Amino acid sequence: MELIQQLVNGISLGSIYALIALGYTMVYGIVRLINFAHGDVFMIGSFVGFYAVTMLGVGFFPALLLAMAACAVLGVVIERIAYKPLRNATRIAVLITAIGVSLLIEYVIIYLRGAQPEAYPSTLLSDRNLELFGVVISSQSLFILGTSLVLMVLLQFIVHRTKIGKAMRAVSHDAEAARLMGINVDNTISATFAIGSALAGAAGVIFGIYYTKIEPLMGILPGLKAFVAAVLGGIGIIPGAMVGGLLLGVIESLVSGLGYSLWRDGVAFVILILILIFRPAGLFGKNVREKV
């Protein structure tokens, strides 16, 4: 029974990793860029949600939407100012820029509000324990999982059923051919950053509710773990990011449940090393032709 509880906890945690990992994988699928500032967009989303709840007095869903909107705008601003001028630059130049943007966001937030942590109100979502088949499951965990799954399904709809989704897939496959066919590649890349950043903002609010405490450097570790999840599933492949995030969350919870909680952060990087050695293309690998 405890195994089932750990699986539910792991899937809830993994859904947060999956939402962040989707931003990494979407951006990589289109511009072959690892956006290491993505974890800090997640942090901004968490703070936007927190201030929306505490200062504006709104509920969970309005706070979620505000965080997603703010992070979408931030993602586009980062892309236009930091990455667009480097579109044809070397990989190392773009990578250094991404790390620089990450540090800039973190320390601007520390300068503006200080480094002290904040705590999400515990009353934002009711946290009752539900007993199903002898297993006690937190209603909050189920709600978080449900919200994350709805966002993932919505992303799949956008990618496969909308005009911008078709443009994203075309640019991912061949940017030059897409440009010749009349697709505005720059706007498509900006839309990709906006959607990925919005999902990171949603993950920030969900993370704040799940763990309560938030602080300006909170994006570093979840951001790195989400990157591991994206690599695990196959970087540049959307279903891979979803599955990789869920798998990583379940593995972490099982490690904690077995009494090795000190290893729960390290296990993500052990997985990264093993994947890079034995299956560098990720679980979904090269067999999946669709990159976005």
Side-chain angles (χ1 to χ4, degrees), residues 36-288:
F36 279 117
H38 194 62
D40 299 293
V41 174
F42 156 82
M43 176 269 291
I44 294 289
S46 197
F47 274 101
V48 169
F50 171 78
Y51 288 122
V53 169
T54 55
M55 291 186 173
L56 302 180
V58 301
F60 170 72
F61 283 112
L64 187 76
L65 293 174
L66 278 171
M68 290 176 73
C71 288
V73 172
L74 178 61
V76 173
V77 168
I78 290 170
E79 189 273 326
R80 287 292 167 110
I81 294 174
Y83 299 142
K84 188 179 176 183
L86 300 174
R87 197 74 47 83
N88 298 314
T90 59
R91 292 282 180 91
I92 192 69
V94 181
L95 180 64
I96 291 168
T97 301
I99 294 169
V101 171
S102 171
L103 292 169
L104 177 66
I105 294 172
E106 289 167 10
Y107 288 97
V108 164
I109 295 299
I110 289 174
Y111 176 77
L112 292 176
R113 63 163 301 281
Q116 71 276 12
E118 300 283 5
Y120 264 70
S122 57
T123 55
L124 188 58
L125 284 180
S126 63
D127 190 15
R128 291 173 296 172
N129 287 330
L130 305 174
E131 189 168 336
L132 298 171
F133 308 109
V135 179
V136 179
I137 300 170
S138 162
S139 62
Q140 196 176 83
S141 294
L142 292 176
F143 189 82
I144 286 168
L145 176 60
T147 304
S148 302
L149 290 176
V150 167
L151 289 170
M152 290 183 211
V153 170
L154 182 61
L155 174 65
Q156 286 290 74
F157 175 81
I158 290 170
V159 169
H160 292 281
R161 295 284 184 267
T162 66
K163 191 175 179 181
I164 189 65
K166 289 176 183 175
M168 285 161 58
R169 285 185 286 147
V171 173
S172 169
H173 190 74
D174 190 328
E176 286 307 312
R179 186 177 276 111
L180 291 171
M181 294 299 291
I183 293 171
N184 189 321
V185 173
D186 288 336
N187 285 354
T188 303
I189 292 171
S190 293
T192 304
F193 270 85
I195 294 168
S197 299
L199 291 173
V205 177
I206 293 169
F207 184 93
I209 291 167
Y210 195 72
Y211 285 104
T212 308
K213 193 186 90 163
I214 60 172
E215 44 94 16
L217 300 179
M218 64 178 273
I220 298 172
L221 198 54
L224 288 173
K225 286 181 180 179
F227 171 66
V228 172
V231 173
L232 173 61
I235 191 92
I237 302 166
I238 283 180
M242 295 178 185
V243 172
L246 293 171
L247 268 177
L248 185 60
V250 168
I251 291 168
E252 276 195 21
S253 288
L254 291 177
V255 168
S256 295
L258 291 170
Y260 299 102
S261 55
L262 292 175
W263 283 89
R264 79 175 275 171
D265 290 334
V267 74
F269 303 103
V270 171
I271 290 169
L272 177 63
I273 292 166
L274 293 175
I275 282 288
L276 291 176
I277 291 172
F278 296 108
R279 194 171 173 82
L283 296 177
F284 283 63
K286 297 281 186 180
N287 295 328
V288 178

Side-chain angles (χ1 to χ4, degrees), residues 24 27-36 83 94-95 98 193:
Y24 278 115
V27 168
Y28 185 85
I30 284 189
V31 288
R32 300 296 182 268
L33 159 70
I34 304 297
N35 178 21
F36 279 117
Y83 299 142
V94 181
L95 180 64
F193 270 85

